[in-house]
Amino acid sequence: MARSAEELKRAWLSALAHERRASPHTLRAYGDDLDRFLDFLVDHLAGPVDVTALADLAPADIRAFITLRRKEGLGPRGVQRALAAIRSFFRHLAREGVLDNAAPRAVQTPRIPRTLPRPLSQTDAVRAIEEAGEGAVEWLAARDAALLTLLYGAGLRISEALSLKRGDAPLGDALTILGKGRKERVVPMLPVVREAIAHYAERIPFTGAKDSPLFLSRRGKPMSAREAQALMQRIRGALGLSERATPHALRHSFATHLLAGGGDLRSVQELLGHASLSTTQTYTAVETSQLLETYTNAHPRGR
């Protein structure tokens, strides 16, 4: 009996989770994209979607799906991710010997213009951390200041920071981080970061095992990325910062300010956990654009 598309999808997601070690976010996003694709195929093919139907798909069928999603408002990045999910699904089917269809590989991925990271200035980054520590509830203020100090002082992604455990505190001179693609990197911890984390850890009002989350919500649950976004939204309002002042902007600030201070590109790449040096090189463009802006504003003939 032929396996249904739903069965094949479940097996693929299981492989992504356990063999490829995909993050929960990737699993959700890819699962949603494939669900939309399979739903589309039911109408597009006017019949059930099984192994035979998937094996017979042509590039034009996949392009028809992308055209529909574009009409629904999906942008280039969304299209890129949807195609990545479809290709991953078909690669899995080929590895498992279910079917081998090259159609997804024949569909061109849209080009996405590379945008420059948007860091905060050194002054605004420090102001944001100071404002975070001014909350009315002492332990929450300590938490907020510790989190932002960690993001700016170590260049962590918000997901990496929130994955820290109670047993990680107090921090040592360096911390091993498991980043994107399950890639480990060792990040030095500045004294100011270690002090902020220790200050917070001493004030946590909830008990917890060593493997429980370090950063907690007001009710003692694991702190979410949404709460970190809300924190930065409050700080933007209090300090009059632009919309670019987000948790991730502190990571951008870490990299940009290191390079501006004389840090070499390879070292910054290692600290950020970038797989490609070209990704890190975007920060040199930020530094150059800021230098040109300063030059234009300051030079008598630039006005």
Side-chain angles (χ1 to χ4, degrees):
M1 181 176 170
R3 297 166 69 185
S4 69
E6 184 62 29
E7 288 178 285
L8 296 173
K9 187 198 82 173
R10 286 198 297 267
W12 165 64
L13 289 175
S14 177
L16 280 180
H18 299 106
E19 296 171 22
R20 304 286 165 170
R21 296 182 178 182
S23 69
H25 174 76
T26 298
L27 292 174
R28 271 195 312 274
Y30 272 28
D32 289 346
D33 285 327
L34 193 67
D35 279 339
R36 289 191 176 94
F37 180 58
L38 296 177
D39 288 343
F40 162 80
L41 289 180
V42 171
D43 292 333
H44 181 68
L45 302 176
V49 181
D50 54 16
V51 172
T52 302
L54 292 171
D56 290 341
L57 285 182
D61 298 314
I62 299 171
R63 291 192 192 102
F65 169 68
I66 296 302
T67 299
L68 174 65
R69 294 293 287 129
R70 281 189 174 278
K71 287 180 179 176
E72 293 173 345
L74 192 67
R77 290 187 187 279
V79 170
Q80 187 181 66
R81 191 192 66 196
L83 280 173
I86 293 168
R87 287 170 180 158
S88 174
F89 177 60
F90 276 84
R91 281 197 303 269
H92 167 77
L93 297 180
R95 282 195 303 269
E96 295 298 310
V98 177
L99 63 92
D100 191 358
N101 187 339
R105 299 194 296 274
V107 179
Q108 188 172 4
T109 302
R111 290 192 170 213
I112 298 176
R114 175 168 286 183
T115 56
L116 293 181
R118 302 176 68 187
L120 280 68
S121 68
Q122 294 184 34
T123 300
D124 284 343
V126 172
R127 289 174 67 214
I129 293 171
E130 290 174 347
E131 178 64 26
E134 295 296 324
V137 180
E138 183 185 10
W139 81 271
L140 288 173
R143 178 203 68 180
D144 294 344
L147 177 62
L148 300 196
T149 302
L150 181 63
L151 296 177
Y152 179 49
L156 302 192
R157 301 176 178 92
I158 185 62
S159 59
E160 294 168 347
L162 296 180
S163 71
L164 295 189
K165 306 300 181 185
R166 295 283 280 268
D168 292 324
L171 300 179
D173 292 336
L175 185 65
T176 300
I177 297 295
L178 190 62
K180 277 188 174 180
R182 311 292 290 179
K183 181 183 176 184
E184 283 192 349
R185 70 184 190 277
V186 177
V187 181
M189 291 292 118
L190 297 171
V192 66
V193 176
R194 299 202 304 269
E195 290 165 10
I197 294 294
H199 180 76
Y200 160 61
E202 290 168 0
R203 285 158 179 78
I204 300 175
F206 305 100
T207 58
K210 287 189 175 182
D211 62 349
S212 62
L214 174 63
F215 289 102
L216 302 175
S217 71
R218 184 180 295 271
R219 292 187 172 87
K221 303 294 183 183
M223 186 180 185
S224 68
R226 189 182 297 271
E227 288 176 273
Q229 295 283 0
L231 165 64
M232 287 302 295
Q233 184 176 15
R234 175 179 68 79
I235 289 172
R236 288 198 302 267
L239 300 180
L241 301 179
S242 72
E243 290 296 312
R244 73 183 184 182
T246 64
H248 201 66
L250 291 170
R251 173 174 159 88
H252 292 326
S253 305
F254 165 84
T256 305
H257 299 164
L258 273 182
L259 288 169
D264 68 276
L265 203 58
R266 285 287 182 187
S267 296
V268 175
Q269 178 191 7
E270 288 297 319
L271 290 172
L272 292 173
H274 285 161
S276 170
L277 186 64
S278 63
T279 305
T280 316
Q281 284 175 325
T282 58
Y283 291 102
T284 63
V286 173
E287 187 184 350
T288 301
S289 68
Q290 291 177 342
L291 180 62
L292 284 172
E293 183 180 355
T294 300
Y295 172 74
T296 302
N297 291 336
H299 197 282
R301 301 303 298 271
R303 296 168 189 164

